[in-house]
Amino acid sequence: MQSTESETVLLRPGMLAAPVGCPVRWCRSTRARRVSLRIDPRAGEVIVTLPMREARRAGMALLTTHAAWVMQRLAALAPAVSLAPGAEVLLGGRPHVICHDPSARGGAFLEGATITVTGQLEFLARRVKDFLRAEAKRRIAVLADGHAATLGVKIRAIRLKDTRSRWGSCAPDGTLAFSWRLVMAPDWVLDYVVAHEVAHLRELNHSPRFWAHVETLAPDREAAQDWLRDNGPALLRVG
């Protein structure tokens, strides 16, 4: 069980610095055993988690102690990208411009480096996101089927999610799940994540045998891991 509440808190990031407004989401959780804080890169706010009976002043004390770190992390976040006409979004690691054409038909579709969206403006953001999810599902399915054939394993199902911390997962029943936002990453990065999860169908662990399968399927895994570490948070800021 968890309850949340958001507000702007004034923090002083340095002894001589002026107070700065910091967006904070307070979360009370029955599972929490101690006060903790983390940055939510998608929402651009700090999440302070409190045990159910812990006073909020304990969270404020933690925020105050780590004020400089918190403000630095928030300032380092990539700018939020709204799904609006003229905005650029990545597809396969390449920028594509969103173009609104209300007189056309077809929902949303790709034309070169343009994502054309039809219909009323109020539906544009949803249609762009639906297009990206559909494109992610199509690309992931092709990659997953190829890797599964190489390893001689069977995929039960592929699910798309919008997770904040995990790009992919593999369930014991053979169901693979991926963040739809991976469609914005370069193709070789997407390929690595898909290969990683398909390899779990052979080894549901991170043993040397597992990594050997990954290396066979995606030789660029180290570069892909670096790309996700450096650029992954920006993907969470889209939409």
Side-chain angles (χ1 to χ4, degrees):
M1 181 178 177
Q2 183 168 292
S3 62
T4 64
E5 179 183 347
S6 297
E7 68 172 330
T8 299
V9 174
L10 291 178
L11 292 181
R12 192 184 297 273
M15 292 293 294
L16 302 178
V20 179
C22 175
V24 177
R25 190 193 321 162
W26 301 94
C27 296
R28 290 197 176 274
S29 173
T30 55
R31 299 170 58 184
R33 294 294 177 265
R34 60 183 178 84
V35 181
S36 64
L37 63 83
R38 64 182 178 87
I39 306 297
D40 182 346
R42 187 189 309 174
E45 62 185 5
V46 186
I47 299 178
V48 180
T49 302
L50 301 167
M52 295 302 291
R53 297 185 178 182
E54 188 71 69
R56 184 175 291 194
R57 62 175 176 271
M60 279 300 305
L62 190 63
L63 270 174
T64 301
T65 300
H66 298 283
W69 177 84
V70 165
M71 300 310 296
Q72 288 171 1
R73 289 292 302 274
L74 289 176
L77 291 177
V81 177
S82 298
L83 299 179
E88 281 192 353
V89 295
L90 295 177
L91 184 60
R94 298 178 179 179
H96 288 67
V97 178
I98 297 174
C99 176
H100 182 219
D101 187 350
S103 63
R105 295 183 178 182
F109 51 89
L110 199 60
E111 291 184 306
T114 299
I115 299 174
T116 299
V117 187
T118 67
Q120 299 179 35
L121 183 60
E122 61 190 282
F123 301 125
L124 182 140
R126 176 178 59 79
R127 286 182 170 175
V128 172
K129 190 171 289 187
D130 288 346
F131 166 78
L132 292 174
R133 288 180 65 94
E135 191 66 14
K137 184 69 174 288
R138 183 185 68 80
R139 297 186 184 198
I140 288 171
V142 171
L143 294 171
D145 287 345
H147 291 319
T150 299
L151 293 185
V153 295
K154 185 176 180 180
I155 301 169
R156 180 180 180 183
I158 295 176
R159 309 283 188 227
L160 291 186
K161 297 184 177 182
D162 194 6
T163 53
R164 283 177 163 82
S165 59
R166 300 181 67 181
W167 296 111
S169 62
C170 174
D173 69 355
T175 298
L176 305 182
F178 299 93
S179 168
W180 66 265
R181 295 173 183 273
L182 283 167
V183 76
M184 295 184 279
D187 294 339
W188 53 275
V189 175
L190 173 62
D191 185 52
Y192 157 69
V193 178
V194 175
H196 184 115
E197 301 310 330
V198 170
H200 276 312
L201 296 174
R202 284 288 299 272
E203 298 286 341
L204 199 56
N205 52 53
H206 288 98
S207 65
R209 290 192 302 273
F210 165 79
W211 288 114
H213 290 313
V214 175
E215 289 283 0
T216 298
L217 300 175
D220 294 327
R221 76 173 180 93
E222 290 188 1
Q225 290 170 340
D226 290 343
W227 192 96
L228 286 171
R229 183 192 64 239
D230 296 338
N231 302 283
L235 303 186
L236 300 178
R237 301 285 282 162
V238 177

